[in-house]
Amino acid sequence: MYSVDEALEKILQVFTVLPAERIPLAQGLGRILAEPITARENLPPFDNSSMDGYALIAADAAHASAQNPITLKVVADIPAGTASDRVISRGEAARIMTGAPLPPGADCVIPIENTDNPPGQFTESGAFPPATVTLFRALQPGDYVRFAGEDIRPGDLILKAGRRLRPADLGALAGLGVPQVQVVRRPRVAILSTGDELLRADQPLVPGKIRDINSYALAASVLDMGAQVIPLGTAPDQLNVVLSKLEEAIRADADLILSSAGVSVGAYDVVKTAMESLGALDFWKVNMRPGRPLAFGRVGSIPFIGLPGNPVSALITFEVFARPAIRKMQGLSLHLPLDEAETTEDMASDGRRTYARVRLERDQGRLIARSTGTQSSGAIHSMVQAQGLLIIPEGMKYVPAGTKLPVRIFEHFEDET
């Protein structure tokens, strides 16, 4: 029997980072950057106003106040999207809109709220600037000015390789004039559920049959990682059908095949025979709970991971083995973050490394873990309720209340708190 770490090491040895591809920036959300990006331009590209107001020389307004207003001559009008070459001299100002370039000579901007200009007239379409503007506050050089390069300068490292692109990342790249990005190709994961008893979600129940949970749950897990799903559907325990499904994955050029169920001796023989005719297969027992039976091999040159059939076992073995494999193909870190949680009740294990489904709560800086109830490997509702997996180490059969253990937190936990 392999330990979890031994089994994971053997699986990860066969995976490498997938090739890169160049895509339009607009399609980059959630993709994994394949190369670092260094700025070639300033952002902002020029000194500009951060407010609607007037550009002027700060020395002219050094002593302005409500009790000592200062009046300047308005000599230019600068809407956003335009630039003015009119040099601002002492005693002069230019009406300027937010984002418009600062005119030469000016070194600050006064917001319209601090002048005698009515805001409505200032922004009214087609309104001409007044001949003069009166200031009611003092200013310093640089007030309400966004300087060229104050956010990003040429040569700055903007994004590292391996980053999953976020909305702000795409915005920054657009501002820097980067229309395309080099990203890791999406892993293509084929998913197959085996078993004579399986029905689709839209089929009515009949005696002895159950609806296929794993295809839907595993496909969602793959999609959530930003990978692509090749749905192979379900296959009865018939050699010709299983062979046909695996050959479909080969034709689709899958990077990984995930199957679930077929761990009983009779059904497994079908998978084993199909695998031996198309590639190779190893059967393992892994020292974990739930999910002890695991298969690993290849179909042609495609890696194959056979997960248990019970829904919770399938999902947890996906988390432990398939997720790191997919992350490796994406060029991501294999070290998923763990937190530490304190148990609120006595818990039991059988000595195997146990991944217990728990609900979580933050209480005065502590993370508290409560069991979702039954830990049966077939109880999918316990996984629905779970906000994380509490990891009980090998050899620990009794966990008294108040024990602190590592926990893998699901992303939706923060959404539910």
Side-chain angles (χ1 to χ4, degrees):
M1 183 180 295
Y2 288 117
S3 71
V4 171
D5 296 334
E6 288 170 337
L8 180 59
E9 181 181 4
K10 287 180 175 292
I11 289 173
L12 291 178
Q13 285 175 352
V14 308
F15 291 92
T16 57
V17 180
L18 294 175
E21 60 184 5
R22 189 167 293 278
I23 62 170
L25 181 63
Q27 298 174 13
L29 183 64
R31 299 298 298 271
I32 309 302
L33 200 59
E35 61 182 7
I37 295 182
T38 301
R40 298 180 180 179
E41 301 177 0
N42 280 322
L43 195 66
F46 48 79
D47 297 349
N48 68 93
S49 175
S50 68
M51 301 286 288
D52 290 340
Y54 286 85
L56 56 119
I57 298 170
D60 281 336
H63 304 292
S65 67
Q67 294 74 35
N68 182 40
I70 301 293
T71 299
L72 303 177
K73 181 181 179 181
V74 178
V75 297
D77 191 24
I78 314 173
T82 66
S84 173
D85 57 6
R86 173 66 160 82
V87 178
I88 304 301
S89 301
R90 291 292 301 269
E92 296 179 338
R95 186 170 74 161
I96 192 168
M97 303 299 177
T98 302
L102 202 68
D107 62 7
C108 67
V109 172
I110 186 168
I112 186 177
E113 294 84 357
N114 302 130
T115 73
D116 64 342
N117 272 202
Q121 178 183 341
F122 186 86
T123 58
E124 182 179 338
S125 177
F128 291 101
T132 62
V133 62
T134 300
L135 320 180
F136 298 121
R137 61 160 291 181
L139 295 168
Q140 297 293 324
D143 282 354
Y144 302 102
V145 176
R146 295 182 292 217
F147 291 100
E150 72 174 24
D151 187 7
I152 296 172
R153 293 183 179 276
D156 286 353
L157 177 63
I158 307 307
L159 298 170
K160 295 180 180 180
R163 182 180 178 94
R164 188 182 298 276
L165 291 171
R166 307 170 187 170
D169 301 339
L170 302 187
L173 295 178
L176 290 168
V178 179
Q180 296 181 322
V181 285
Q182 190 87 349
V183 296
V184 179
R185 177 174 63 74
R186 292 184 189 274
R188 295 186 288 264
V189 182
I191 296 176
L192 172 66
S193 287
T194 63
D196 290 331
E197 74 279 14
L198 298 179
L199 298 171
R200 297 190 310 272
D202 61 344
Q203 291 180 298
L205 287 176
V206 295
K209 302 286 187 179
I210 58 173
R211 295 191 181 95
D212 171 30
I213 292 175
N214 292 343
S215 288
Y216 297 90
L218 293 174
S221 298
V222 168
L223 289 172
D224 192 48
M225 295 185 66
Q228 293 179 314
V229 171
I230 301 170
L232 301 180
T234 60
D237 298 322
Q238 299 174 15
L239 178 59
N240 64 324
V241 180
V242 173
L243 278 170
S244 176
K245 296 289 187 180
L246 296 177
E247 288 167 348
E248 183 181 339
I250 294 174
R251 290 192 298 273
D253 199 20
D255 299 302
L256 169 65
I257 299 173
L258 290 179
S259 79
S260 63
V263 293
S264 64
V265 175
Y268 224 15
D269 286 342
V270 174
V271 176
K272 181 179 181 181
T273 303
M275 295 288 294
E276 287 175 342
S277 68
L278 296 174
L281 184 66
D282 287 332
F283 299 141
W284 299 345
K285 288 184 178 179
V286 181
N287 192 30
M288 65 180 291
R289 173 176 174 261
R292 178 164 57 180
L294 190 73
F296 181 63
R298 58 180 174 82
V299 177
S301 60
I302 303 171
F304 171 93
I305 301 177
L307 307 176
N310 282 320
V312 173
S313 296
L315 283 171
I316 290 179
T317 50
F318 176 91
E319 290 295 321
V320 175
F321 301 111
R323 183 178 292 276
I326 295 171
R327 287 179 65 87
K328 186 171 182 181
M329 286 191 283
Q330 294 172 312
L332 295 173
S333 168
L334 304 183
H335 302 289
L336 295 172
L338 296 176
D339 210 323
E340 186 178 67
E342 183 177 324
T343 61
T344 61
E345 62 211 295
D346 295 347
M347 301 177 73
S349 178
D350 62 358
R352 291 179 285 169
R353 183 183 297 185
T354 297
Y355 294 83
R357 286 87 79 192
V358 292
R359 291 193 63 80
L360 300 168
E361 177 184 343
R362 298 196 186 277
D363 179 23
Q364 298 180 348
R366 298 182 304 158
L367 187 61
I368 306 300
R370 293 183 173 83
S371 171
T372 57
T374 176
Q375 295 293 303
S376 166
S377 59
I380 188 64
H381 192 234
S382 69
M383 201 69 175
V384 172
Q385 298 179 78
Q387 296 169 314
L389 297 174
L390 188 74
I391 303 174
I392 303 174
E394 296 90 336
M396 180 178 283
K397 295 186 176 182
Y398 173 64
V399 181
T403 302
K404 293 182 178 179
L405 291 172
V407 64
R408 183 179 295 179
I409 299 177
F410 296 155
E411 287 186 0
H412 61 77
F413 166 58
E414 299 299 343
D415 295 334
E416 297 176 0
T417 55

